[in-house]
C-alpha cells in the first residue's frame, strides 16, 4: 500500500464517507468548509488509529528487528497523546460537518471521540488480509523514517495534500462556472453542459480565507 493510498484513506475517513457511494453529488459552492487547522486536527486525531491498525496487521509478518517491533509502541503512544490534544478541534469540525452536510452522517449512537478506535478496529482485519510481508516491510521502513517527526508534522503533511486537492478542485469549479456564465451570456452552449462532475468526492471544501492563502 503506497503513501498516496494512505492519504486517500485518511481523507476518506476524515470525511466519514462510509456511505458516500449512496450520497447525492453536492456542488463545491454548497459544501461546508473546513479550515487548515481543522483538517490537520482531524488527521492528528485519526492517525493513531491508522498506526494501530497497520502495526497489528504487520507485526506478525515482520522480524524482531523491524521498527514496529522495536520502536512502534513508543511512536504510537506519542501519536495517541497528540491525537487527544487535537481531538477538541477535530470533533467540533466533524460534528459541524455532520450538521451541515447531507453526505456526512454521524449516527447519534456513535461517540465521535471513539472514531480513531473504530477506524483501527475496522481497518485492522482488512489490512491484515491485504498487506503481505513485502508491503509491510516497505511500510515499516517508511514509518521508521517518519518516526522522528512530531505527530503534528505528519498530520500536517497529509493535511497539505488534501488542501492542495481541494484548492485545485475549487479553482476548477470557479473556472467552469465563469466559462458557463460567459457562454450563457453569449447564448452559447458549453461542451460539458450535460456532463456531471462529482469533483473529489470529499464532502467539504477548504474555507475561503485559507484558499486565498494558497
Amino acid at each position: 500500500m503506497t503513501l498516496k493510498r494512505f492519504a486517500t484513506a485518511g481523507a476518506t475517513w476524515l470525511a466519514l464517507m462510509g456511505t458516500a457511494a449512496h450520497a447525492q453529488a453536492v456542488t463545491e459552492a454548497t459544501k461546508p468548509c473546513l479550515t487548515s487547522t481543522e483538517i490537520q486536527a482531524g488527521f492528528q486525531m485519526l492517525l493513531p488509529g491508522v498506526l494501530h491498525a497497520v502495526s497489528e496487521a504487520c507485526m506478525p509478518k515482520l522480524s524482531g528487528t523491524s521498527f514496529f517491533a522495536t520502536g512502534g509502541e513508543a511512536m504510537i503512544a506519542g501519536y495517541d497523546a497528540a491525537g487527544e490534544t487535537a481531538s477538541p478541534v477535530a470533533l467540533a469540525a466533524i460534528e459541524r460537518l455532520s450538521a451541515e452536510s447531507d453526505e456526512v452522517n454521524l449516527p447519534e449512537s456513535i461517540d465521535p471521540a471513539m472514531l480513531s478506535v473504530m477506524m483501527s478496529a475496522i481497518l485492522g482485519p482488512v489490512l491484515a488480509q491485504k498487506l503481505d510481508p513485502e508491503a509491510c516491510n516497505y511500510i515499516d521502513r517508511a514509518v521508521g523514517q517518519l518516526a522522528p517527526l512530531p505527530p503534528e508534522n505528519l498530520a500536517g503533511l497529509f493535511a497539505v495534500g488534501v488542501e492542495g486537492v481541494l484548492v485545485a478542485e475549487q479553482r476548477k469549479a470557479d473556472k467552469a462556472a465563469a466559462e458557463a456564465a460567459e457562454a450563457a451570456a453569449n447564448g452559447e452552449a458549453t461542451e460539458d453542459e450535460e456532463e456531471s462532475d462529482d469533483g473529489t468526492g470529499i464532502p467539504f471544501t477548504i474555507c475561503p480565507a485559507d484558499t486565498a492563502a494558497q
Side-chain angles (χ1 to χ4, degrees), residues 41-147:
F43 277 109
Q44 193 169 318
M45 184 185 73
L46 295 178
L47 275 173
V50 175
L51 289 172
H52 275 290
V54 173
S55 176
E56 291 180 2
C58 285
M59 279 285 285
K61 304 172 185 179
L62 295 169
S63 71
T65 59
S66 67
F67 172 77
F68 274 123
T70 59
E73 186 175 347
M75 179 184 180
I76 292 172
Y79 273 77
D80 281 333
E84 290 182 8
T85 300
S87 63
V89 174
L91 293 176
I94 291 172
E95 290 174 348
R96 178 161 58 80
L97 280 181
S98 182
E100 296 179 2
S101 173
D102 292 334
E103 285 190 277
V104 182
N105 297 308
L106 190 63
E108 294 182 1
S109 60
I110 293 179
D111 180 0
M114 295 298 293
L115 289 175
S116 182
V117 176
M118 290 170 56
M119 183 165 69
S120 178
I122 293 172
L123 284 180
V126 176
L127 294 180
Q129 181 179 6
K130 297 293 184 181
L131 296 178
D132 58 26
E134 182 179 10
C136 283
N137 183 58
Y138 280 116
I139 292 171
D140 183 76
R141 289 167 56 190
V143 172
Q145 293 297 315
L146 294 169

Side-chain angles (χ1 to χ4, degrees), residues 12-23:
T12 301
W13 277 100
L14 175 62
L16 301 178
M17 291 177 62
T19 58
H22 303 290

